[in-house]
Amino acid sequence: MSVSELYQSVILDHNRRPRNYGPLEQADRVQEGSNPLCGDRLTLWIRMDGDVIGDISFVGEGCAISKASASIMTTEVKGKTRAEAEQLFERFHALVTGQAGEEDPDALGRMAVFSGVSRFPIRVKCASLSWHALRAALRWEGGADAGGAPKDGAAHGAGPHGGATDAGTHGAGAERDGGGRDGGAHDGAGS
């Protein structure tokens, strides 16, 4: 099996059996995102423990690349600090936009399966949707109540409860499909 075939099989596995799939009851951040070019939509839930991502989950529909990227992203950032998650965002974004240079694929972990995305510019937004949603949610300070409702009277559709300001950052999710709980929105800063 070639590396390309291996990467494809990992993407298909995460698409068929996404990890951390389903609403997160104790979330304090909720971010929705969509990619109208492909029809990808997702909702991301995060529970912060101080400066650490204590738990994260998503619900989404769309292409295999988008769903697999969200699944892998949740497994990679769970337990990481906000700064570590931001560094992973930067590395992933560089990878899918072809700016990663000669970075060792082993250092990228499971994110390396998306190394071929840069050859297909239309797919960059698919792969990066969940990562942009993560970044927007981590940068927002308002939070949500335990049920995911906005705190302090914030409107759903502002901050991490709706899309960011760029086209393609609104959306909704679907219901939990039994995918395991084990183991973005676009911010206008490029793909």
Side-chain angles (χ1 to χ4, degrees), residues 5 8 12 15 19 28-29 33 47 56 58-59 69 71 73 84 95 99 104 128 132 138-139 160 167 173 178-179 181:
E5 291 170 327
Q8 183 177 0
L12 291 175
N15 177 55
R19 285 35 160 212
D28 52 26
R29 295 162 191 266
R47 179 182 48 79
I56 185 169
F58 79 101
V59 171
S69 181
S71 176
M73 184 266 302
E84 290 168 332
L95 174 72
Q99 306 298 314
D104 178 16
S128 63
H132 282 287
L138 291 176
R139 290 182 172 183
R181 293 265 315 129

Side-chain angles (χ1 to χ4, degrees), residues 104-168:
D104 178 16
D106 291 335
L108 293 168
R110 289 174 280 200
M111 296 184 308
V113 302
F114 297 100
S115 61
V117 169
S118 65
R119 294 191 312 266
F120 305 96
I122 194 75
R123 293 297 183 196
V124 170
K125 288 188 183 292
C126 301
S128 63
L129 175 64
S130 60
W131 289 88
H132 282 287
L134 171 70
R135 181 183 235 186
L138 291 176
R139 290 182 172 183
W140 189 69
E141 295 301 324
D145 66 22
K151 284 185 180 177
D152 303 324
H156 190 72
H161 295 286
T165 58
D166 189 54

Side-chain angles (χ1 to χ4, degrees), residues 9-73:
S9 71
V10 171
I11 289 171
L12 291 175
D13 176 56
H14 276 269
N15 177 55
R16 290 183 189 123
R17 290 179 294 283
R19 285 35 160 212
N20 302 302
Y21 193 86
L24 181 60
E25 296 299 321
Q26 299 301 315
D28 52 26
R29 295 162 191 266
V30 179
Q31 179 69 47
E32 296 177 336
S34 72
N35 172 5
L37 295 175
C38 190
D40 305 323
R41 298 184 319 171
L42 72 81
T43 303
L44 184 66
W45 288 269
I46 301 173
R47 179 182 48 79
M48 297 297 293
D49 293 334
D51 195 42
V52 174
I53 299 170
D55 205 356
I56 185 169
S57 69
F58 79 101
V59 171
E61 56 188 49
C63 71
I65 291 172
S66 176
K67 198 172 203 178
S69 181
S71 176
I72 290 172
M73 184 266 302

